Amino acid sequence: MDATAPSTHTYDVIIAGGAMAGATLALAIEQLTQAQLSVAVVEAAIPDHAHPGYDARSIALSYGSCQLLEQLGIWHHVAPFATAINTIHVSDRGHFGLTEMNASTEGLPYLGNVIELADAGREFHQALSQAKNITLYCPSFVTELTRETDKVTITLNDGQVLTTKLMVAADGALSSCCDMVGIARHEHDFEQVALIANVTTSLPHQGKAFERFTETGPVALLPMSEGRSSLVWCVKPHEAPDFLALSDREFAEKLQQTFGWRLGQLLHVGQRNSYPLILRQATQLISHRFAVVGNAAQTLHPIAGQGFNLGLRDVVTLAEEIAKAHKEQQDCGNMIMLQRYLHRREPDRDATVAMTSGLVHGFSNTSAPLSLGRNLGLAAMSVFSGLKAPLLKRAMGLVER
């Protein structure tokens, strides 16, 4: 359904943000309650209908995340735009340590999938528009938010007024809805900038993902469709402008020196973009009739590709708790439901944030003892699978929710 006429409407759940996290939450609620709860999604951006080609941004979905989407009946929306990760190769530039994780060794069809966001975004937008009990307000954004004992009232930029039992912030790292209810953010600057682009290599990637640690930060290449790979290259902030100013050929040569020749020659580089790497964590995941999910809850360093996967576990857990409250004929926005969501999410959130931040600082440190230690660790993991198991389990998203 599409909402057009200005008026006042009441919903069981309103979600601010209709990108991957918000859209998945809406579709999950629809699936788990058999469309018995009314959901509104407020999204500011209309998906671009031009084919993104080399300029598409991608995310890596872990095996566990793909399974969650499959269980919710949502996987078919993204499967056409998915490229399987069969192997993950981890190395430390200039040192002997390396390890590999293989889907076949684990008895799995894949370790994860790379999803091209522009394509997936259009598919999710269409799914929201066609859903039985989801109303999509797009392009729209929240300008006012007030809370009373039994409801939340929001005003949209076009003047429409909506009320709900539960408001969910899925509106990104700098969530305006969190600001409106006074939920602050902790920030930690990693003092790195991520350069992103899509590249073509002379050798086929064959479903292999690479994470290579360097003095300035990690370099990751993830397999994509049409033989391309998605690049995330972390550099020092003062280096980023110079890298962006290079010609495509010069940039490819610099990347070749840093990444090496495991995929042969780097033949083509698409449009480059950059963003600063800052850990942001909402100080609260819940408040009165208010829940926070996805990047609004936390944005992580892209090392080990944990950010969206952690956010997806937020989303699915919240959807499950909302469905449970509905089944028990309880108010789906009450504090009992919100406390259950918080209790289930805190351990995973704390462990994942600690792991990613520890990897960033551990592999960016150039001191000889630490460098030796991490390389011995990588080498040991390649020999003793038991040492690799905890990292592999979290990388695959097979963690308690």
Side-chain angles (χ1 to χ4, degrees):
M1 295 187 290
D2 280 306
T4 52
S7 55
T8 301
H9 293 290
T10 297
Y11 299 93
D12 293 305
V13 181
I14 295 177
I15 303 164
M20 285 285 283
T24 302
L25 176 59
L27 295 170
I29 294 170
E30 173 109 340
Q31 176 73 15
L32 292 174
T33 65
Q34 286 77 54
Q36 291 176 11
L37 290 179
S38 58
V39 178
V41 177
V42 180
E43 169 55 39
I46 298 174
D48 176 19
H49 289 272
H51 190 277
Y54 267 92
D55 305 329
R57 290 186 63 174
S58 302
I59 55 170
L61 286 180
S62 67
Y63 175 80
S65 293
C66 298
Q67 293 299 105
L68 285 177
L69 293 176
E70 181 74 54
Q71 291 161 19
L72 290 168
I74 297 174
W75 175 245
H76 70 278
H77 290 301
V78 295
F81 318 114
T83 302
I85 300 173
N86 303 315
T87 305
I88 300 174
H89 179 98
V90 183
S91 62
D92 195 6
R93 182 172 181 257
H95 301 91
F96 62 86
L98 63 85
T99 190
E100 278 197 355
M101 307 170 197
N102 297 287
S104 57
T105 304
E106 303 302 319
L108 297 172
Y110 51 75
L111 295 176
N113 278 276
V114 178
I115 307 296
E116 298 175 40
L117 283 177
D119 291 325
R122 288 193 293 272
E123 184 72 16
F124 271 71
H125 188 87
Q126 185 175 1
L128 292 175
S129 300
Q130 296 174 347
K132 181 179 178 182
N133 211 4
I134 298 173
T135 304
L136 178 62
Y137 292 83
C138 181
S140 293
F141 58 89
V142 180
T143 57
E144 294 179 42
L145 189 158
T146 58
R147 293 182 291 175
E148 299 170 49
T149 303
D150 60 347
K151 67 179 179 180
V152 181
T153 302
I154 65 168
T155 304
L156 303 183
N157 56 302
D158 62 1
Q160 292 192 81
V161 177
L162 314 180
T163 64
T164 185
K165 297 173 184 174
L166 177 66
M167 184 74 201
V168 182
D171 52 342
L174 300 174
S175 167
S176 61
C177 286
C178 285
D179 293 340
M180 290 177 196
V181 300
I183 294 180
R185 284 178 287 274
H186 289 312
E187 294 193 356
H188 171 71
D189 190 342
F190 289 111
E191 298 181 354
Q192 294 178 359
V193 170
L195 307 177
I196 59 171
N198 295 333
V199 303
T200 298
T201 55
S202 63
L203 296 179
H205 55 62
Q206 297 181 314
K208 199 166 189 176
F210 294 87
E211 182 127 42
R212 188 158 174 74
F213 296 103
T214 76
E215 297 81 4
T216 62
V219 179
L221 279 172
L222 305 175
M224 291 177 67
S225 64
E226 301 171 5
R228 297 169 298 158
S229 292
S230 174
L231 169 70
V232 181
W233 186 1
C234 302
V235 301
K236 295 297 183 186
H238 69 271
E239 297 175 323
D242 292 338
F243 277 109
L244 292 172
L246 294 173
S247 69
D248 287 351
R249 181 184 59 79
E250 291 168 334
F251 183 84
E253 288 174 355
K254 286 278 190 184
L255 178 59
Q256 191 91 63
Q257 292 168 15
T258 302
F259 175 72
W261 294 81
R262 287 187 172 88
L263 288 174
Q265 186 177 357
L266 301 176
L267 300 177
H268 182 83
V269 178
Q271 179 180 323
R272 283 164 266 157
N273 289 295
S274 68
Y275 59 95
L277 296 176
I278 299 171
L279 169 65
R280 292 187 174 96
Q281 287 181 275
T283 55
Q284 300 167 240
L285 289 182
I286 64 169
S287 184
H288 175 65
R289 296 197 173 276
F290 193 90
V292 190
V293 299
N295 281 346
Q298 64 274 314
T299 55
L300 307 185
H301 191 287
I303 195 170
Q306 290 295 301
F308 179 74
N309 295 290
L310 177 61
L312 182 62
R313 297 197 290 273
D314 292 343
V315 160
V316 176
T317 303
L318 181 58
E320 289 172 348
E321 292 302 338
I322 291 170
K324 181 180 179 182
H326 171 69
K327 185 177 180 180
E328 295 173 352
Q329 298 183 315
Q330 300 294 316
D331 180 341
C332 69
N334 69 22
M335 189 52 72
I336 296 171
M337 185 283 295
L338 290 167
Q339 288 285 2
R340 288 200 306 254
Y341 165 64
L342 177 65
H343 180 73
R344 290 180 62 186
R345 292 309 305 139
E346 278 190 320
D348 178 22
R349 185 187 193 220
D350 292 347
T352 305
V353 169
M355 183 199 78
T356 55
S357 298
L359 284 173
V360 174
H361 293 298
F363 277 92
S364 298
N365 194 309
T366 56
S367 75
L370 192 56
S371 177
L372 177 62
R374 68 180 181 239
N375 277 273
L376 287 171
L378 285 173
M381 282 197 293
S382 68
V383 178
F384 303 108
S385 59
L387 293 174
K388 194 186 327 184
L391 179 62
L392 179 59
K393 195 172 181 182
R394 188 157 291 278
M396 291 172 59
L398 299 176
V399 295
E400 290 287 332
R401 285 189 296 110

